Amino acid sequence: MSSITSSTLLEALNWRYATKKFDATKKIPADIWTTLEQALVLAPSSFGLQPWKFIVVQNPALRAKLSAAAWGQTQPVDCSHFVVFAGRRDLDSDEVDRFINRTAEIRHADPATLKGYRDVIAGSVSTAKTGGYLDVWQSRQVYIALGQFMTSAALLGVDACPMEGLNPAQYDEILGLDTTKWGTLCACAVGYRAADDKYAALAKVRYTTGEVIEHR
């Protein structure tokens, strides 16, 4: 596997920012978008359960409604691609079995040989459900995917804006998720920054390395 240099990674991370204004005339090339979709597919999750669905919204009418449900922010309308990140509600043993069967399929194994692993996962899910934090646990996995998506975009020279400033219930209704097992958690607009987005030129504000990283 070839690797990028440390300077390339840091340059991309310093270059990226939460883009406030996209150039609506610029679209992400198909091959780059396919790569970004695969970055989502390949995102890691606890036990590999992948408790998520990524909804790529390209329909202009839907995007206008999603913009209105995000307090009028223009990113959903002006960006090249708009992705809604939805999490799995109330994950159950059927979903665990689905994952085990997929694992057996990919690794050419008998699902019965994975029973021990299946029971460990099911036990963790059951404990989380009993403890009342199952949905919170699963939603955290979705944010791992968001982070990987944004980093991948930066490395490919694509701008992004993560968005939690939206009404999840309205998003669910607009996208027809309100009657499903999925629920909106956040969204991410991606594309290319407008030349007059003033935020692009602002210095990145971060605490010093010594303040946020501790060695023991």
Side-chain angles (χ1 to χ4, degrees):
M1 184 193 73
S2 61
S3 60
I4 63 172
T5 65
S6 297
S7 60
T8 297
L9 174 60
L10 291 179
E11 181 181 358
L13 294 179
N14 276 294
W15 169 83
R16 69 145 301 277
Y17 73 108
T19 305
K20 303 301 182 184
K21 188 176 182 181
F22 286 90
D23 185 338
T25 68
K26 293 184 178 180
K27 302 301 179 185
I28 299 172
D31 61 329
I32 293 181
W33 179 250
T34 297
T35 300
L36 287 174
E37 284 194 349
Q38 287 304 302
L40 289 170
V41 172
L42 292 170
S45 59
S46 184
F47 290 118
L49 283 173
Q50 306 156 73
W52 49 48
K53 186 177 289 290
F54 311 113
I55 304 165
V56 182
V57 185
Q58 293 299 83
N59 182 289
L62 281 179
R63 283 169 62 155
K65 291 179 180 179
L66 295 176
S67 175
W71 293 281
Q73 295 180 84
T74 60
Q75 292 97 318
V77 174
D78 293 337
C79 68
S80 173
H81 290 65
F82 190 65
V83 186
V84 175
F85 288 67
R88 175 69 154 80
R89 300 187 184 103
D90 197 23
L91 191 144
D92 54 23
S93 60
D94 286 344
E95 189 66 18
V96 175
D97 289 336
R98 175 173 173 257
F99 171 67
I100 290 298
N101 289 333
R102 178 61 173 166
T103 301
E105 176 189 358
I106 294 296
R107 297 179 177 173
H108 307 291
D110 182 344
T113 64
L114 300 173
K115 184 180 183 304
Y117 183 43
R118 186 262 178 209
D119 290 345
V120 168
I121 299 174
S124 293
V125 169
S126 177
T127 297
K129 186 172 184 177
T130 301
Y133 59 88
L134 176 60
D135 286 354
V136 173
W137 172 35
Q138 297 307 307
S139 69
R140 288 172 180 162
Q141 313 310 308
V142 178
Y143 283 88
I144 295 173
L146 173 63
Q148 176 153 306
F149 180 67
M150 292 172 58
T151 299
S152 300
L155 287 168
L156 292 171
V158 174
D159 288 299
C161 182
M163 298 177 63
E164 279 192 315
L166 52 83
N167 187 313
Q170 289 182 16
Y171 264 53
D172 288 349
E173 183 178 356
I174 292 167
L175 297 172
L177 298 176
D178 50 339
T179 57
T180 74
K181 59 189 176 183
W182 307 104
T184 298
L185 292 170
C186 58
C188 190
V190 287
Y192 299 100
R193 65 190 68 178
D196 60 346
D197 186 356
K198 63 181 181 180
Y199 294 95
L202 295 178
K204 194 179 294 293
V205 179
R206 295 293 187 272
Y207 291 112
T208 65
T209 302
E211 289 180 282
V212 297
I213 296 181
E214 180 177 332
H215 296 267
R216 298 193 179 190

